[in-house]
Structures are given as structure tokens and as C-alpha cells.
Amino acid sequence: MAAAVAAGPGALGSLHAGGARLVAACSAWLCSGLRLPRSLAGRRVGPAIWAQGWVPAAGGPAPKRRYSSEMKTEDELRVRHLEEENRGADLKERAKMSSSEVGPFVSKIRAVINDIANLPVPTIAAIDGLALGGGLELALACDIRVAASSAKMGLVETKLAIIPGGGGTQRLPRAIGMSLAKELIFSARVLDGQEAKAVGLISHVLEQNQEGDAAYRKALDLAREFLPQGPVAMRVAKLAINQGMEVDLVTGLAIEEACYAQTIPTKDRLEGLLAFKEKRPPRYKGE
């Protein structure tokens, strides 16, 4: 399941979980990142979590790798890749849990996925392999999903006589509609990338490349499109969309008005107007 997301301002952050990766276009400081609860960091989810820094951004010299759990400066850090050594929960081990252990375990997984959903920056799930059960629930918690045509994804829990417990019963209907979501959950059907695109589960489908990271590369391209935009605007735009979709239109418009008001006193807004006047790229600082 999810491990952590940490990146400096103006950077790209990514999370790899099973066949899916999460890319966060970080327009705002995310402090030290989101981490699994201590009780989830054991053998059932993954014994090791590490960060892989890449410097500098596109257009500079070749990337240099280094492993660290510390935050880097904006100039130094451009991509943060966080990965688990053991991806996902072991179902054989899950079968050995007592009934009293299963509930709290799933609750903690759900909390981590909710943390991903509540990140104040755009997130993109890149699915290059398998995203079944919790893997797809993690992807559903992201703002945008892209996948390789050969990827496989589905909420397959009913095959195990359980139901999705990481938000799948709520986020899948919101993504593709109630009827289709019921069909997929009731049947435990697994979709490939093309099928997922056809039902609206993902935004982009790519032919897989030799490296096996076509969706990940597309996600990074999308994130780079987001990065030049005003950090405060990106944060409140996501807030306005997410909250507005849960209420009626009149209330949603009031939410939009309140969010727009947050951008008016910012230096970012003045910088954007000045850059437009001078026909140059803006230099946002997230204020």
C-alpha cells in the first residue's frame, strides 16, 4: 500500500506501490511527508521505505541518485521517488489474522489512502502493472489516473468474500457512475488499460514501452504541465473541486467563491499578472 510522499516546493514527488505509482506535482511544501502508521510499517506491508532523490530538473545534466529520508532544497530536489520493498499486503498472511486483527489493520490502510486523497497538491496515479484491490483504491484516491494498455486493474475483493475496504465502494462510483461501479465490484472484473479508459476509470492509456514505465512517464509529463501554475491557486482549485462535487450547485458556487477569495491577496496573483504583462514565465513562491 501507500508509503509516503515528500517533495520540496516546485518539485515532483512520486510513490510506487505495486504496479501503480503516485506522482504528486508539489506546488506547496509538504513538510516531512506522509508515512504509514508505525503499526503498518511491519512485515505485512513493507519492512523498508526509502526515498530516492533525482537532481536536477529536465534540461540539466544526467540524474544523480542518492538515498535519503531528509527533505532537500527546492534547487536540489526535482523528483522524489518513494518506494516500498514489499509492495502490498500478503493475503496468505492476512488469512492468519484473527477477526479482531483484520478490522484495525484495514482501518489503518484506509486512513493512509485517505491521507493521499487529502494531499493539498495534484496527484497522478500511474498504473504500469497490476492495481488490484487496495492498489486500485490507492489510484482512486488520486486526482488523475493514467495506465499502460497492458495494465490490469480491478476491485476483486468479492472473490474473497469481502468488500473493498480502502474507499473503493465510495470512490469508484464517484469516478465512473454507480451502475458501472456496482457491475465491476459485483463481478470482481479485472480491466486492462483500454477497457479502463472506455469506462472512464483512467484519463490516458499508453502502449507499454520496453522499460515498462509508459504510464509513469506520462504522469511525469502531466505533472510538469501543472508545476508552472500558481501554488496557492492549484491548492484551492483542488479544494473547490473536491468539496463542490459533494454538494449541490448553489453550495458549490459558494465554495468556489470562498476559494477564489483566498487567491486575491497573494503575491502569486500579482506575479502572474506582472508576468503576463511582461510576456515572461512567472516566478511563483507560493504566497
Side-chain angles (χ1 to χ4, degrees):
M1 292 306 302
V5 176
L12 299 177
S14 75
L15 169 69
H16 187 187
R21 305 189 197 198
L22 177 143
V23 176
C26 297
S27 302
W29 191 264
L30 297 182
C31 63
S32 60
L34 301 174
R35 295 193 178 276
L36 283 168
R38 184 175 301 276
S39 59
L40 273 185
R43 187 161 58 98
R44 291 194 179 101
V45 173
I49 299 173
W50 65 86
Q52 179 175 313
W54 298 86
V55 293
K64 300 176 183 178
R65 295 189 183 188
R66 95 178 129 267
Y67 295 88
S68 170
S69 61
E70 301 298 322
M71 295 292 294
K72 302 300 179 182
T73 66
E74 178 180 359
D75 290 338
E76 184 180 12
L77 178 63
R78 284 298 175 267
V79 176
R80 175 61 66 86
H81 180 190
L82 297 161
E83 188 169 10
E84 286 184 85
E85 188 173 77
N86 180 8
R87 305 179 180 97
D90 187 332
L91 292 179
K92 292 182 180 179
E93 210 168 11
R94 178 81 66 85
K96 298 178 182 178
M97 291 184 187
S98 67
S99 298
S100 61
E101 290 177 308
V102 173
F105 180 80
V106 175
S107 293
K108 290 171 184 176
I109 291 176
R110 186 184 304 114
V112 172
I113 293 177
N114 286 341
D115 283 341
I116 296 298
N118 292 327
L119 280 173
V121 294
T123 55
I124 307 164
I127 305 170
D128 277 305
L130 296 177
L132 304 176
L136 181 56
E137 288 179 307
L138 173 61
L140 285 166
C142 297
D143 301 313
I144 300 165
R145 288 166 293 281
V146 299
S149 58
S150 58
K152 302 293 183 183
M153 64 203 82
L155 297 180
V156 298
E157 285 86 350
T158 53
K159 282 188 176 180
L160 305 175
I162 56 176
I163 68 170
T169 64
Q170 302 305 303
R171 293 192 175 97
L172 187 62
R174 285 167 168 79
I176 66 173
M178 184 184 298
S179 181
L180 266 176
K182 287 179 177 179
E183 181 179 333
L184 294 181
I185 292 174
F186 295 166
S187 65
R189 188 179 304 157
V190 175
L191 307 178
D192 61 26
Q194 294 290 353
E195 293 168 328
K197 177 67 166 62
V199 300
L201 180 55
I202 61 175
S203 300
H204 301 274
V205 59
L206 301 308
E207 289 299 320
Q208 189 57 280
N209 57 29
Q210 290 185 349
E211 292 77 17
D213 64 353
Y216 181 52
R217 290 176 183 271
K218 176 63 176 179
L220 289 179
D221 287 342
L222 289 172
R224 291 186 182 102
E225 286 189 60
F226 301 161
L227 285 177
Q229 320 315 328
V232 175
M234 296 292 280
R235 183 170 67 248
V236 297
K238 176 171 178 174
L239 182 65
I241 295 169
N242 286 354
Q243 292 193 356
M245 289 301 294
E246 302 300 322
V247 298
D248 62 88
L249 179 60
V250 172
T251 306
L253 290 171
I255 291 171
E256 178 186 83
E257 182 179 6
C259 288
Y260 188 97
Q262 293 184 44
T263 68
I264 295 175
T266 64
K267 294 179 181 178
D268 282 356
R269 185 179 69 89
L270 299 178
E271 170 60 29
L273 293 173
L274 183 62
F276 179 79
K277 181 179 178 181
E278 297 177 355
K279 298 181 180 179
R280 62 169 174 81
R283 295 185 292 272
Y284 295 120
K285 298 184 182 299
E287 300 174 357

